[in-house]
């Protein structure tokens, strides 16, 4: 029998950032990438929490935060809104600035927007086994307010109940980025009064992005090049080889990947190839993607080994792809001699064996009628 333990109702701040456009975004675009993007955005909002909010629930396209105890001030509440707004839109700008994938989800991610509902009232917490769930009329009020008559695309709504509970809210005109507007909506439980502010003035606080400079050291020279023909279309080969989470599927001695900075391949994707599980394992950044219909090239910079791997794919038939791996490293005469005598043969065998494994993986996918899970679309979605 499930045991339920209730706590008595206490004055509680309810703080709900809500991603607008979520339903259309999910239903009209590629579901896998849309899920990755929404997850990253929700995680971004949670990581931006600076006022000791607790997460009650993830509600699909929104996060239900709450805080018991100390009443919030206007200054800290609006500063929290600003931080979440800036981090949210910075994340979206990165998708636009760094994206490679041309699927509908990746192309249209920048159409998503953000609004905030902030309320204050008496809330109790129900503990069901290890889970906690908020309960109370004021929770219903907060959720109903997500449907209101505000015509703005992005805004923060603060109820009078919060402003009346905290005397410092008389200072809101002094700490807000614009003069607040007053509003009122009628619900089945009565009228709710609130003030609201547009978030548009905060756009100027979103930092401009610059692509990190990973230009190879001009003193680097080629130490080896390995080529092979893969029995698969260039789109599939690229999907696999560029996927930071899939190195173990084709690179010899790799057990998995960690230290990734996202689920979707982009300019600036990072990962560590787990081989020995220590700091000597290669940590890489993928960058400088150049993609055309029949030719793709990019660079994987190995920060651990201080080297670059130039990866080139060329379509040579409907289901044939030529892949070239060229390793670049800074070497002096003695280092070059040592490498040629003792290491080159082993590295050639390593890369050649990896390409053989890649070909086998591609053929196994085609034989089973499966796709690789990354799902990078190289041509714009129709």
């Amino acid at each position: 029998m499930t045991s339920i333990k209730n706590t008595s109702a206490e004055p509680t701040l309810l703080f709900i950032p809500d991603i607008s456009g979520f339903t259309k975004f999910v239903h009209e675009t590629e579901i896998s990438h849309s899920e990755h993007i929404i997850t990253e955005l929700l995680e971004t909002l949670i990581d931006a929490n600076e006022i000791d909010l607790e997460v009650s629930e993830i509600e699909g396209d929104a996060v239900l935060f709450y805080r018991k105890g100390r009443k919030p001030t206007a200054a800290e509440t609006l500063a929290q809104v600003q931080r979440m707004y800036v981090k949210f839109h910075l994340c979206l700008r990165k998708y636009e600035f760094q994206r490679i994938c041309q699927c509908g989800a990746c192309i249209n991610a920048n159409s998503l927007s953000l609004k905030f509902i902030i309320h204050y009232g008496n809330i109790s917490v129900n503990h069901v086994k290890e889970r906690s769930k908020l309960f109370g009329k004021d929770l219903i009020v907060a959720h109903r307010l997500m449907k209101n008559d505000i015509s703005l695309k992005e805004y923060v709504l603060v109820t009078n109940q919060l402003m009346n509970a905290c005397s410092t809210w008389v200072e809101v005109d002094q700490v807000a980025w614009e003069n607040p507007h007053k509003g009122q909506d009628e619900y089945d439980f009565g009228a709710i009064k609130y003030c609201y502010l547009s978030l548009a003035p905060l756009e100027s606080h979103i930092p401009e992005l610059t692509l990190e400079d990973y230009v190879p050291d001009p003193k680097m020279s080629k130490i080896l090049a390995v080529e092979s023909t893969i029995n698969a279309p260039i789109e599939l080969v690229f999907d696999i080889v560029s996927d930071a989470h899939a190195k173990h599927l084709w690179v010899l001695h790799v057990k998995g990947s960690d230290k990734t900075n996202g689920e979707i391949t982009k300019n600036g994707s990072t990962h560590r190839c787990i081989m020995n599980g220590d700091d000597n394992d290669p940590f890489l950044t993928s960058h400088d993607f150049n993609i055309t219909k029949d030719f793709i090239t990019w660079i994987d910079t190995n920060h651990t080994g201080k080297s670059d791997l130039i990866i080139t794919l060329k379509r040579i038939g409907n289901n044939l792809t030529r892949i070239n791996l060229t390793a670049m490293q800074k070497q002096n005469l003695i280092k070059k001699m040592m490498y040629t005598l003792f290491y080159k043969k082993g590295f050639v065998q390593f890369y050649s064996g990896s390409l053989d494994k890649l070909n086998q993986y591609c053929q196994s996918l085609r034989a089973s009628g499966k796709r690789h899970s990354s799902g990078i679309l190289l041509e714009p979605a129709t």
Side-chain angles (χ1 to χ4, degrees):
M1 182 176 178
T2 302
S3 61
I4 301 176
K5 181 181 178 182
N6 299 334
T7 62
S8 58
E10 298 178 49
T12 302
L13 171 68
L14 298 174
F15 190 105
I16 309 175
D18 175 38
I19 301 175
S20 301
F22 173 79
T23 302
K24 180 178 180 182
F25 181 69
V26 168
H27 287 291
E28 295 186 6
T29 59
E30 286 73 1
I31 188 68
S32 175
H33 283 199
S34 63
E35 287 178 345
H36 290 321
I37 293 169
I38 292 296
T39 297
E40 185 169 342
L41 290 171
L42 291 171
E43 289 174 348
T44 296
L45 294 173
I46 293 171
D47 290 343
N49 168 25
E50 286 191 325
I51 60 172
D52 298 322
L53 299 168
E54 294 188 51
V55 176
S56 172
E57 292 183 66
I58 307 296
E59 301 174 328
D61 53 355
V63 183
L64 174 57
F65 288 106
Y66 72 99
R67 190 181 80 183
K68 292 182 175 293
R70 181 172 55 87
K71 297 175 182 178
T73 66
E76 72 170 333
T77 304
L78 295 183
Q80 180 63 80
V81 167
Q82 179 172 326
R83 178 173 175 80
M84 287 185 176
Y85 173 89
V86 169
K87 293 292 186 181
F88 175 86
H89 280 284
L90 182 60
C91 188
L92 289 181
R93 284 190 180 181
K94 286 182 179 179
Y95 271 108
E96 182 64 21
F97 191 70
Q98 299 174 338
R99 70 175 168 84
I100 297 166
C101 182
Q102 300 296 305
C103 78
C106 292
I107 288 176
N108 295 312
N110 60 1
S111 66
L112 295 172
S113 57
L114 190 63
K115 63 183 180 184
F116 294 84
I117 304 298
I118 306 177
H119 182 53
Y120 193 79
N122 291 320
I123 299 293
S124 61
V125 180
N126 291 352
H127 298 281
V128 183
K129 290 190 174 180
E130 296 83 19
R131 298 178 64 87
S132 299
K133 188 173 180 64
L134 302 186
F135 181 79
K137 175 189 173 184
D138 285 296
L139 181 64
I140 299 172
V141 170
H143 281 99
R144 295 284 178 85
L145 283 167
M146 296 173 76
K147 302 294 183 182
N148 54 61
D149 294 331
I150 299 174
S151 59
L152 298 173
K153 184 179 181 181
E154 295 189 297
Y155 59 86
V156 52
L157 179 158
V158 181
T159 63
N160 283 18
Q161 203 160 321
L162 171 56
M163 292 185 285
N164 294 336
C166 186
S167 60
T168 54
W169 274 93
V170 297
E171 304 170 1
V172 66
D173 293 348
Q174 302 173 30
V175 298
W177 47 84
E178 69 170 16
N179 291 327
H181 310 279
K182 293 183 179 180
Q184 175 176 310
D185 284 319
E186 297 286 340
Y187 298 95
D188 52 0
F189 46 75
I192 298 295
K193 294 181 179 181
Y194 52 79
C195 77
Y196 64 95
L197 300 92
S198 169
L199 298 178
L202 299 181
E203 186 175 355
S204 62
H205 293 272
I206 306 170
E208 293 296 326
L209 293 174
T210 56
L211 196 62
E212 291 188 66
D213 187 5
Y214 296 109
V215 176
D217 189 325
K219 296 181 181 179
M220 282 189 178
S221 59
K222 183 174 77 172
I223 58 174
L224 67 87
V226 176
E227 280 195 348
S228 183
T229 298
I230 307 299
N231 295 288
I234 190 171
E235 293 81 5
L236 176 59
V237 178
F238 174 75
D239 206 16
I240 298 167
V241 177
S242 66
D243 186 359
H245 303 268
K247 301 301 182 183
H248 63 288
L249 297 175
W250 67 278
V251 181
L252 294 178
H253 313 311
V254 173
K255 303 170 185 176
S257 298
D258 65 1
K259 298 185 179 179
T260 58
N261 60 355
E263 294 291 330
I264 304 174
T265 301
K266 59 183 180 295
N267 263 304
S269 287
T270 62
H271 71 280
R272 181 180 69 158
C273 288
I274 301 173
M275 303 177 81
N276 300 312
D278 56 31
D279 291 339
N280 293 319
D281 286 347
F283 177 71
L284 302 103
T285 300
S286 300
H287 57 95
D288 285 314
F289 287 85
N290 184 2
I291 300 172
T292 64
K293 181 180 179 182
D294 299 319
F295 185 85
I296 303 172
T297 183
W298 74 97
I299 299 173
D300 275 355
T301 291
N302 182 346
H303 303 284
T304 308
K306 295 182 172 58
S307 62
D308 287 328
L309 183 67
I310 303 172
I311 304 166
T312 303
L313 307 179
K314 183 177 181 181
R315 191 193 308 272
I316 57 176
N318 289 335
N319 292 303
L320 289 175
T321 301
R322 192 70 176 168
I323 183 170
N324 178 288
L325 304 179
T326 298
M328 308 285 291
Q329 195 170 52
K330 187 177 178 180
Q331 292 189 323
N332 55 35
L333 182 61
I334 295 177
K335 191 175 180 180
K336 187 174 183 179
M337 290 177 58
M338 293 290 290
Y339 173 81
T340 302
L341 289 172
F342 300 106
Y343 300 109
K344 184 174 182 178
K345 182 178 179 181
F347 275 108
V348 170
Q349 291 176 341
F350 168 76
Y351 285 117
S352 297
S354 295
L355 294 183
D356 288 341
K357 188 177 179 181
L358 171 64
N359 192 41
Q360 293 169 16
Y361 177 59
C362 288
Q363 291 187 67
S364 69
L365 288 177
R366 297 185 65 204
S368 61
K370 296 180 179 179
R371 297 176 57 190
H372 182 66
S373 59
S374 180
I376 299 297
L377 184 66
L378 299 182
E379 296 182 4
T382 56

